[in-house]
Amino acid sequence: AEKDETNEKDVVLRFAALGDAEPKPEPQFPHMAAVVDDVNRLAQTSRMDFVIGVGDIAHKGTRIQYENATSVLQALQPPFYPIMGNEEHGSTVKRFLRYANRWGGEKAGITDASYVVETDQVALVFASPDFDRDFKDRGIDWMLAQIRRLQPKPVLLVVHGAQVGVYPENPDKGITHERFAEVTGQPNLAAIISGDLHMDMDRVEHSKQIDGVHYLHIPALERTKIPDESRHTAMFRVFTVHADGEALVQTYEAGVAEPLRRHDYRFSITPATGPAAAAIRQTAFRFRSDTRQALNADAGWRSSTAQFRDLVIEGNPASPRVSIIASEVFQHRAETSDLLNGSGAPFSGGAGISFADSTPVWSTAEGHGEWEWPLVIRRFADGAVTNEAGDTFEFRMADAQGQAVASPRVPGVTVSVPPGHMGGTFVETPARIGPWQASNGDLYFLMEPSETYNALMTVKSSDGGKTWREVDGINRPETGDLEGVASALAEGRIHILHQTSDDVWYHVFNTSDHQRAPDVWAIRDERLASP
């Protein structure tokens, strides 16, 4: 029997998707305005959780394009979650975020160009390109980290353009990074939603499945390019997810109340499951806090509270809040012994896993195995995200299909910050960077959040160095590349010279004893010279 699509009680998520706009030559958005009216009408008569955008709203990222688009998108009633496209990269991420947070109904602030919106049944990973319409290694690593973190929850990935070759109508345009195949190979990735190509829905294959992943094209609002520019019909699409994981994608023409049934597309967001998922279960776990202990030593164990400590981590291309690292005491795939209580089945081997997220293939008719991963939880992570005392991290194992392994108790660890621990990493300089002491005793230190996030930050201690926190992080300088830094304290102000590969910059941070503006960045990114 076919599903009753009118049963709203069965709907767990519904959102609309808007395609590229970037009108030219005139910065006018008449079709986008019509679609905004249509979406608002739908939101008044049925469920509409939010609206997404696949990038390229503002042609070349110019201010007039952003301003005119904002006058239209501010009328959109549901929350609007957009990403950047190649056009937005004609300007800055900062400009994009400033306008994106003004679009649509009330929502949590968007603080990064790439982010995640998670619901109980499905998660949407919004991945803005790192440049043009493509990604660098850091963008690939970020997508992989988010999708893997969300396992086994199904993921819809929103990118500006799909990888090259997906749409033969323009096979050379799209993502070219060879590691994007790692992203599409994740078992809980259900679909990729993209735009960029400005395709005529009536003359192309806009929705398809390739290697288990569904690809959904979102048509452009203001202009059509493929297969030619002879005609343009503004359309948008609406995604409806039902409680059983079945998804329906409908396509609406601007100004027309009913969807165009000829463009309906159905798919399931639920990943495949197999008998092995029910047969495997996790029976026991322990945390080892002393990383100097050998793999099979029955020592160095700790309760579920872990303190930060200073570690040197080599070869990590990113610094998330928590990650798997390389072990200093055992080789990858070194054999484990039977240490943990919890299973009466015969021991059937296992391994220590060093700087990898999956184990070697392991199977047994009746037995148990033991695995050990070295993990690091960072005080400061990429994006200057801070892990605080009391933060709790839970860890799950998953099978080859991405299904969480059953466990009577989810392993978790709660963070404790030892007195005096600062975290982060030092900037490159032979000169003094702190601590600087204000007249009231407050201490200040200049540093970077992590090896892979080169931002200049000021951390402060008001208790003699026992605890440290970043101050005025939202206004920290935008210039990275901290090749050399010099600083001096005078009359409640820390004066900073900052040399990059090409320029010398000047910043000033006011300490807490500054009379007019305490604890703020007073001067940021002032170029002094380009030697």
Side-chain angles (χ1 to χ4, degrees):
E2 192 172 81
K3 183 185 295 295
D4 179 7
E5 305 294 355
T6 64
N7 184 7
E8 287 292 313
K9 293 182 180 179
D10 186 44
V11 174
V12 296
L13 176 67
R14 180 177 287 127
F15 62 90
L18 308 188
D20 303 46
E22 48 133 352
K24 62 179 184 180
E26 297 298 325
Q28 303 299 322
F29 297 81
H31 296 299
M32 187 164 73
V35 166
V36 166
D37 290 340
D38 290 343
V39 173
N40 288 342
R41 173 182 53 79
L42 289 173
Q44 292 171 1
T45 58
S46 62
R47 176 172 182 163
M48 185 64 69
D49 294 279
F50 50 81
V51 182
I52 71 170
V54 295
D56 274 10
I57 288 177
H59 183 61
K60 296 191 181 301
T62 63
R63 192 179 302 276
I64 189 171
Q65 288 263 343
Y66 270 118
E67 288 291 340
N68 290 358
T70 298
S71 66
V72 172
L73 291 172
Q74 282 183 324
L76 185 63
Q77 294 170 4
F80 184 46
Y81 296 104
I83 61 170
M84 298 179 72
N86 56 288
E87 294 294 337
E88 280 83 5
H89 274 295
S91 183
T92 63
V93 173
K94 184 177 181 180
R95 175 178 287 184
F96 165 76
L97 292 175
R98 184 166 66 247
Y99 284 99
N101 280 295
R102 295 167 59 186
W103 297 338
E106 184 177 352
K107 60 180 180 286
I110 301 173
T111 58
D112 293 291
S114 296
Y115 53 97
V116 175
V117 174
E118 187 174 358
T119 71
D120 290 339
Q121 292 79 17
V122 63
L124 283 81
V125 174
F126 293 82
S128 290
D130 293 322
F131 66 98
D132 194 40
R133 55 181 54 83
D134 216 334
F135 294 95
K136 298 179 181 179
D137 279 341
R138 68 169 182 264
I140 299 294
D141 290 333
W142 182 86
M143 285 184 282
L144 287 171
Q146 304 313 308
I147 297 172
R148 289 168 175 168
R149 173 182 65 83
L150 292 161
Q151 289 176 358
K153 181 174 290 186
V155 167
L156 306 178
L157 176 62
V158 183
V159 294
H160 181 53
Q163 67 268 38
V164 293
V166 167
Y167 295 103
E169 294 85 357
N170 193 339
D172 299 324
K173 190 175 184 180
I175 298 169
T176 63
H177 199 298
E178 61 182 8
R179 288 185 57 214
F180 192 71
E182 296 179 44
V183 177
T184 61
Q186 296 305 301
N188 59 323
L189 179 62
I192 293 178
I193 303 170
S194 65
D196 189 29
L197 297 181
H198 294 242
M199 296 198 297
D200 185 337
M201 297 283 283
D202 287 318
R203 293 187 285 167
V204 299
E205 185 182 4
H206 51 71
S207 306
K208 63 185 70 177
Q209 183 180 17
I210 301 175
D211 295 332
V213 177
H214 298 271
Y215 291 83
L216 295 310
H217 175 72
I218 308 303
L221 296 172
E222 302 296 342
R223 295 184 292 132
T224 294
K225 300 179 182 179
I226 294 175
D228 54 54
E229 302 181 15
S230 61
R231 67 185 191 191
H232 174 69
T233 303
M235 299 179 183
F236 66 100
R237 307 191 81 176
V238 174
F239 291 68
T240 301
V241 180
H242 294 267
D244 62 359
E246 293 300 308
L248 168 67
V249 186
Q250 297 173 297
T251 304
Y252 288 80
E253 181 180 335
V256 179
E258 296 298 321
L260 306 174
R261 298 297 182 186
R262 65 184 182 275
H263 294 313
D264 282 1
Y265 185 80
R266 292 173 171 83
F267 67 101
S268 175
I269 66 169
T270 306
T273 58
I280 301 174
R281 61 192 179 94
Q282 179 180 302
T283 58
F285 67 89
R286 293 180 78 177
F287 288 103
R288 193 197 301 272
S289 63
D290 187 350
T291 58
R292 297 166 297 179
Q293 295 293 334
L295 175 64
N296 293 310
D298 192 7
W301 306 112
R302 191 179 180 89
S303 66
S304 58
T305 300
Q307 286 193 340
F308 288 117
R309 54 177 294 195
D310 295 324
L311 293 172
V312 177
I313 304 165
E314 301 294 343
N316 235 7
S319 303
R321 296 179 68 187
V322 58
S323 63
I324 300 167
I325 61 174
S327 171
E328 297 178 351
V329 296
F330 62 81
Q331 297 294 317
H332 180 51
R333 297 193 175 193
E335 292 184 0
T336 56
S337 59
D338 189 358
L339 288 180
L340 302 181
N341 298 321
S343 174
F347 181 67
S348 300
I353 310 300
S354 178
F355 203 46
D357 58 3
S358 60
T359 70
V361 175
W362 178 80
S363 63
T364 180
E366 183 179 355
H368 84 273
E370 296 188 8
W371 315 88
E372 181 165 333
W373 280 268
L375 304 171
V376 61
I377 301 175
R378 298 174 174 86
R379 176 69 165 132
F380 293 105
D382 287 347
V385 177
T386 307
N387 287 325
E388 298 285 5
D391 286 354
T392 297
F393 293 84
E394 295 183 340
F395 303 93
R396 299 295 300 269
M397 294 178 66
D399 63 18
Q401 285 74 45
Q403 297 295 299
V405 173
S407 175
R409 179 183 168 204
V410 177
V413 61
T414 300
V415 168
S416 172
V417 184
H421 183 84
M422 186 175 294
T425 187
F426 292 147
V427 298
E428 299 180 30
T429 179
R432 181 178 175 182
I433 52 177
W436 297 108
Q437 187 170 41
S439 60
N440 59 13
D442 287 346
L443 300 175
Y444 294 84
F445 197 83
L446 305 176
M447 61 187 301
E448 300 176 54
S450 69
E451 291 283 356
T452 53
Y453 190 79
N454 304 126
L456 181 61
M457 63 190 296
T458 299
V459 293
K460 171 187 173 183
S461 175
S462 296
D463 54 10
K466 293 180 181 179
T467 61
W468 295 86
R469 283 180 175 81
E470 185 183 12
V471 189
D472 199 24
I474 193 172
N475 293 311
R476 74 176 74 91
E478 293 185 356
T479 308
D481 189 18
L482 302 171
E483 291 195 354
V485 173
S487 62
L489 174 65
E491 298 180 350
R493 310 185 95 191
I494 302 175
H495 300 265
I496 306 163
L497 288 179
H498 167 196
Q499 182 173 340
T500 67
S501 300
D502 302 313
D503 305 288
V504 176
W505 302 84
Y506 177 56
H507 319 287
V508 172
F509 187 88
N510 291 348
T511 53
S512 54
D513 55 349
H514 191 277
Q515 294 183 355
R516 294 188 303 276
D519 279 345
V520 297
W521 285 100
I523 299 175
R524 300 170 297 157
D525 304 295
E526 182 177 299
R527 184 187 284 109
L528 295 183
S530 299

